[in-house]
Amino acid sequence: MPSSFETLRWRDGAIEMLDQRALPERQVYLSFDSAAAVAGAIRDMVVRGAPAIGCAAAYGVAVEAKRISGETRAQFENSMDAAFETLKASRPTAVNLFWALERMKTRLQASSSTTVPDSASALLDEAHVMCREDVTLNRRMGVHGAALLPERSRVLTHCNAGALATAGHGTALGVIRSAIEAGKHVAVYADETRPFIQGAPLTAWELQQDRIPVTLIADNAAGFLMSRGNIDAVIVGADRVAANGDVANKIGTYQVAVMAHRHGIPFYVACPLSTIDLAIASGADIPIEERAAEEVLGYREMRWAPVGTDVVNPVFDVTPAELVTALITEEGVVRAPDREKIAALFRSRTTT
Ligand code: MRU
């Protein structure tokens, strides 16, 4: 079941992104041809979701290399260093951004004895490969995760961890897509996801596009629905998983996990290995992005709070590993994740 839209696409020598801020009203693609422009698109939420941010950053490196491919080798290397720094500064929490930039840097270094145009073309190839791999990994994750769902299930998800948050298929929504492909009957409850509201314009929209049954709920309805027996499982994505299994994901995820635990409902986190940061010992060390107060004071052009209202707007939270029933990865399912099991997962992986 391929999605009916592309989150990122390569057209006419530039990277185009579906402008997620215009959904669901308009399906508009914006074109970017420099690292600074791509970094701006990531910061401004044209593209969002950990794996999609990683892919966008990889293309940010590739378009920059193409743009300056007339420079001498020394100039090129200096300009590329600056481009990496610009992209790195775009958003702090999703580790896929830094993972993707590291991989692009390695590719750049490996091409250092070729001409500048050859380096630029190697970087573009690498960005294409990374995006294709992302879809393949999501599909493998989907197969592992689908096996966890009963034949009929009502699944709650938070934020958008779908095709829009990846190069295609999705992580949490990828599991749901794969379960449906396997003949299971899955209906989705989508949390609205204040304050940026990824649930309504993104999750509800992309599931509707694929005719997957979806019911939108206000975030604060989740506990009540659980208490009434309406939710069989929770599946969310992740922005960064620490070495001990603590999960940083969209603000509000922690509350959902606590509620799921209270009601004995499995709480699954679907994430590729590129989202697991072995360098971070626990969730306490994960950098949590804070965004503008305007996101809480109102929505888009509308303001509903009185002028002068104090706001704090952390946009991710950390769910401790003890509340995670299982991590669903491309390498398989890790039940009750902890440091040892995660280390073993990396040791036994079949992909690099
Ligand atoms: O702020 P966003 O929209 O980039 O946050 C996205 C999320 O929190 C997703 O759940 C996460 O990146 C997983 S996406 C497969």
Side-chain angles (χ1 to χ4, degrees):
M1 197 198 295
S3 303
S4 48
F5 56 87
E6 287 171 290
T7 304
L8 302 150
R9 64 187 190 191
W10 183 254
R11 287 279 192 292
D12 304 325
I15 181 64
E16 289 191 351
M17 301 182 203
L18 179 60
D19 185 357
Q20 301 195 21
R21 303 163 308 175
L23 292 173
E25 289 90 5
R26 288 172 303 124
Q27 232 171 295
V28 187
Y29 283 86
L30 302 178
S31 180
F32 302 92
D33 62 3
S34 71
V38 170
I42 294 172
R43 198 172 34 249
D44 297 345
M45 308 284 279
V46 172
V47 63
R48 27 66 49 204
I53 291 172
C55 290
Y59 278 116
V61 171
V63 289
E64 183 70 9
K66 179 171 176 288
R67 191 177 74 82
I68 58 171
S69 58
E71 294 186 348
T72 64
R73 185 93 222 169
Q75 285 169 335
F76 176 74
E77 307 253 331
N78 279 338
S79 307
M80 289 309 292
D81 282 347
F84 278 105
E85 291 310 310
T86 302
L87 285 160
K88 248 191 218 168
S90 57
R91 289 190 77 187
T93 303
V95 73
N96 306 59
L97 171 71
F98 309 102
W99 173 89
L101 290 173
E102 247 347 278
R103 186 161 154 176
M104 293 300 278
K105 198 164 248 183
T106 304
R107 190 73 191 84
L108 175 61
Q109 281 158 359
S111 73
S112 62
S113 56
T114 63
T115 65
V116 167
D118 281 351
S119 278
S121 111
L123 289 170
L124 179 58
D125 288 347
E126 189 70 3
H128 288 325
V129 168
M130 281 167 68
C131 288
R132 279 198 300 272
E133 273 178 16
D134 185 52
V135 181
T136 307
L137 298 183
N138 291 341
R139 291 202 151 273
R140 287 175 55 185
M141 214 183 298
V143 171
H144 293 305
L148 299 170
L149 295 179
E151 287 306 309
R152 289 192 172 274
S153 49
R154 296 152 303 171
V155 175
L156 176 74
T157 191
H158 190 74
C159 193
N160 172 272
L164 285 168
T166 62
H169 199 64
T171 57
L173 300 190
V175 169
I176 289 161
R177 285 194 167 92
S178 294
I180 292 172
E181 283 171 5
K184 294 188 175 180
H185 299 273
V186 185
V188 179
Y189 282 101
D191 271 350
E192 196 173 45
T193 318
R194 275 287 292 154
F196 205 80
I197 322 229
Q198 286 88 339
L202 305 183
T203 298
W205 179 80
E206 83 161 78
L207 292 176
Q208 267 187 3
Q209 298 294 302
D210 286 358
R211 300 187 196 294
I212 296 173
V214 54
T215 303
L216 184 67
I217 62 169
D219 298 332
N220 34 17
F224 174 70
L225 290 178
M226 289 184 191
S227 76
R228 289 292 166 101
N230 289 345
I231 310 284
D232 302 305
V234 178
I235 311 181
V236 298
D239 288 83
R240 195 183 299 221
V241 177
N244 69 345
D246 290 350
V247 173
N249 190 49
K250 181 51 52 192
I251 192 79
T253 303
Y254 172 51
Q255 291 172 197
V256 174
V258 170
M259 279 292 166
H261 188 254
R262 164 81 173 80
H263 295 287
I265 296 167
F267 179 87
Y268 298 121
V269 177
C271 63
L273 264 55
S274 55
T275 301
I276 303 178
D277 186 353
L278 295 179
I280 294 268
S282 83
D285 302 324
I286 298 176
I288 299 294
E289 179 181 10
E290 291 209 20
R291 292 184 66 89
E294 280 64 37
E295 292 180 0
V296 178
L297 291 167
Y299 183 66
R300 294 190 175 167
E301 269 64 60
M302 187 194 288
R303 218 170 203 273
W304 51 52
V307 172
T309 306
D310 285 339
V311 168
V312 58
N313 185 21
V315 300
F316 298 99
D317 62 23
V318 176
T319 299
E322 67 190 80
L323 295 179
V324 178
T325 308
L327 295 179
I328 303 167
T329 77
E330 68 272 27
E331 294 293 337
V333 171
V334 184
R335 287 187 179 275
D338 61 18
R339 194 176 309 282
E340 288 69 36
K341 289 180 195 169
I342 289 176
L345 179 75
F346 276 84
R347 279 197 302 274
S348 66
R349 72 179 152 178
T350 55
T351 53
T352 50

